[in-house]
């Protein structure tokens, strides 16, 4: 695995690989680092499908709000190098902020519709920052395939909508959420949790599990309000949990539904705070009406 | 020259050309058709530099305001084919609106700063539409070079800013404005002019010419207000002319200047209406302070 910090050098390296192998497929895994098994699984998926696997690690200031955790977002370059190499990355792209934004960007990519609810409502401007940096990274790497984790299902919807609307020459591969033994979705932010918060954080997965069973048993009869209530009640059983949102929407449009049977698929989506730490998780469930 | 109407077919054609010639440079000339010698000169510039020259003709609804001339914008496919072939296009990409926008786009590319004045002020949303469709076309064609006419100098600034900010893998080549024998800048919209309007329309170039001489003689002493006044006075000599704007700004930032010597280059920019027809023209002048 080689580590590259400059855009020009990365372009040159990928171009040379493509010239020497015209059938090469380039796979790309964009991340914010502090890698865990979820990121590793994206690399493994890329490895299976692509001759050259590029991972980027860049904590993108543009997608953090003024009161969010950009400065304190966990970083560990040495460990990230090991995890990335172990999981099969060929190239680790590790740019500084001034390499990606030599001047403040005047250009922004905005995706309407899918960004209005869930994290888009809680974190204004967040998905503009995501769409803009992913566009930049796609233009730098020019991958054939890009791999994103479904833990942030809304991010996947945003990227897929953007790729479709802007005719970006890349295929998006959504990959399943990885979980700890007790069901907590793997996340770089889990390290923020105190032991007590960590224990109670399993409530997200448990609430989703219970609500999923409810939908599978009685989905034809239920409204989204019924399922939201079931989610909220279950979360409330954890005394340290503060709900940011507990939502039930059509997937992938992320439009509201009344009866669940109005959609072919629904997403149950949670954002829950434990102290300053905000965790997200979700389930995507097909509806057979 | 071949004519292609589908995105998939265009991608395939260009890919095949690139595979058979790995050193191929692809040149791209995006237009709205009703081609004149200005467009032909862009093709000729592309022809000199590139092994494959792709022209697109697409009247993009997204860049027209609700009261603008999208429906009546002049179209002449048969003539455009002749002009494009004659000037050296290899591929003419001629998509329908539903090929470019199978559903209304939820994704928009916005460029701040350079879009706030001139046509950006007169035509709200216009440059969002331009930036978005050019992004789509760049993603479809994936050119090495793209050629734009300097008659719309603000459009060139917007595209250059976007390419820089989003790390688009393409080089923008600005090309000089072509003029009729009497100095009127060539434009597809010139066909709208009545004979009397056509005669008076030469006032744009004349006013720019006079103001340019003024700047070259006394630029060190002048403010932008002085030059704006000279432009406006000269335009007012044409009884049918109604000024939309007559501006003097720093180039390429398009920021206001007081003394001309505050900028390394300035742009004198005009938009003038004759009846329903809105014409633009400009001069870009280096300032030696």
């Amino acid at each position: 695995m080689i580590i590259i910090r400059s855009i020009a050098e990365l372009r040159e390296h990928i171009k040379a690989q493509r010239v020497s192998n015209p059938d090469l497929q380039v796979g790309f895994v964009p991340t914010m680092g502090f890698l865990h098994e979820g990121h590793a699984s994206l690399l493994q998926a890329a490895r299976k499908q692509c001759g050259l696997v590029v991972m980027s690690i860049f904590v993108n200031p543009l997608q953090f709000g003024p009161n969010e955790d950009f400065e304190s977002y966990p970083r560990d370059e040495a460990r990230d190098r090991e995890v990335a190499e172990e999981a099969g990355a060929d190239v680790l792209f590790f740019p500084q902020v001034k390499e990606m934004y030599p001047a403040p960007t005047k250009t922004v990519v905005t995706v309407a519709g899918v960004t209005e609810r869930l994290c888009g409502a809680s974190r204004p401007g967040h998905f503009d920052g995501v769409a803009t940096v992913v566009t930049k990274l796609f233009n730098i790497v020019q991958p054939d395939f890009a791999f994103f984790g479904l833990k942030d299902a809304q991010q996947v919807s945003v990227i897929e909508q953007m790729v479709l609307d802007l005719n970006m020459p890349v295929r998006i591969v959504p990959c399943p959420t990885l979980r700890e033994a007790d069901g907590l979705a793997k996340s770089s932010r889990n390290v923020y949790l105190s032991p007590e918060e960590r224990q109670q954080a399993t409530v997200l997965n448990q609430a989703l599990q219970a609500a999923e069973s409810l939908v599978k048993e009685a989905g034809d009869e239920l409204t989204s309000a019924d399922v939201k209530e079931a989610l909220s009640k279950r979360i409330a059983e954890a005394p340290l949990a503060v709900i940011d949102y507990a939502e039930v929407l059509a997937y992938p449009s992320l439009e509201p539904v009344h009866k669940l049977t109005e959609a072919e698929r629904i997403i149950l989506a949670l954002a829950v705070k434990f102290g300053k730490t905000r965790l997200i998780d979700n389930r995507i469930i097909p509806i057979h009406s």
Side-chain angles (χ1 to χ4, degrees), chain A:
Chain A
M1 186 183 78
I2 66 165
I3 295 177
I4 296 181
R5 295 180 191 276
S6 99
I7 293 169
E9 207 185 315
L10 180 63
R11 285 193 203 276
E12 210 146 306
H13 180 79
I14 295 170
K15 195 180 171 183
Q17 303 284 310
R18 284 203 185 271
V19 166
S20 72
N21 175 5
D23 296 325
L24 185 69
Q25 302 278 35
V26 177
F28 179 46
V29 181
T31 79
M32 299 210 302
F34 211 73
L35 303 177
H36 52 64
E37 291 88 336
H39 301 108
S41 76
L42 301 177
L43 284 175
Q44 288 149 9
R47 185 77 280 162
K48 272 189 201 157
Q49 216 168 331
C50 302
L52 182 72
V53 175
V54 179
M55 170 175 266
S56 67
I57 293 185
F58 180 59
V59 184
N60 171 37
L62 212 63
Q63 72 193 65
F64 287 81
N67 298 314
E68 292 183 1
D69 58 348
F70 171 67
E71 291 299 338
S72 65
Y73 194 86
R75 292 159 168 93
D76 186 342
E77 182 174 331
R79 215 180 125 268
D80 284 350
R81 291 161 80 142
E82 284 173 30
V83 175
E85 180 147 31
E86 166 97 23
D90 298 307
V91 178
L92 189 55
F93 178 50
F94 224 133
Q96 299 279 316
V97 171
K98 67 169 191 284
E99 180 72 5
M100 290 294 285
Y101 301 108
T105 184
K106 291 181 179 175
T107 308
V108 173
V109 181
T110 301
V111 185
V114 286
T115 56
E116 278 148 30
R117 297 177 186 86
L118 308 180
C119 295
S122 307
R123 305 182 66 187
H126 169 66
F127 285 116
D128 287 359
V130 170
T132 303
V133 81
V134 171
T135 299
K136 286 167 68 75
L137 290 166
F138 282 179
N139 282 330
I140 293 165
V141 176
Q142 297 179 259
D144 300 288
F145 297 90
F147 300 78
F148 290 85
L150 276 166
K151 194 194 58 146
D152 195 341
Q154 187 172 22
Q155 177 171 272
V156 173
S157 289
V158 170
I159 302 297
E160 286 183 332
Q161 184 69 48
M162 175 181 84
V163 165
L164 181 75
D165 283 341
L166 296 183
N167 307 95
M168 290 180 173
V170 57
R171 258 182 277 178
I172 303 304
V173 185
C175 299
T177 302
L178 260 70
R179 297 181 181 281
E180 305 291 349
D182 63 3
L184 176 66
K186 288 190 189 272
S187 164
S188 304
R189 288 188 173 97
N190 291 348
V191 296
Y192 292 145
L193 299 168
S194 72
E196 205 182 351
E197 290 169 343
R198 171 64 188 80
Q199 206 170 10
Q200 293 189 21
T202 55
V203 76
L204 280 85
N205 183 52
Q206 289 160 5
L208 291 167
Q209 198 92 323
E212 183 173 12
S213 300
L214 185 68
V215 171
K216 286 186 171 167
E217 283 160 27
D220 291 4
E221 309 301 318
L222 295 172
T223 66
S224 59
D226 299 329
V227 183
K228 274 188 244 186
E229 203 192 327
L231 285 169
S232 299
K233 275 195 179 160
R234 186 71 187 77
I235 300 286
E237 289 174 23
L240 296 175
V242 177
I243 293 177
D244 180 8
Y245 61 72
E247 270 289 3
V248 178
L249 299 169
Y251 188 84
S253 73
L254 305 185
E255 298 282 352
V257 287
H258 175 60
K259 298 278 284 178
L260 300 189
T261 49
E262 290 166 19
E264 287 177 24
R265 277 187 297 171
I266 59 164
I267 182 167
L268 318 183
L270 291 177
V272 177
K273 281 189 146 187
F274 289 88
K276 287 185 179 171
T277 309
R278 186 175 171 281
L279 303 178
I280 58 173
D281 201 352
N282 69 77
R283 288 286 194 293
I284 296 163
I285 309 172
I287 301 291
H288 302 291
S289 58

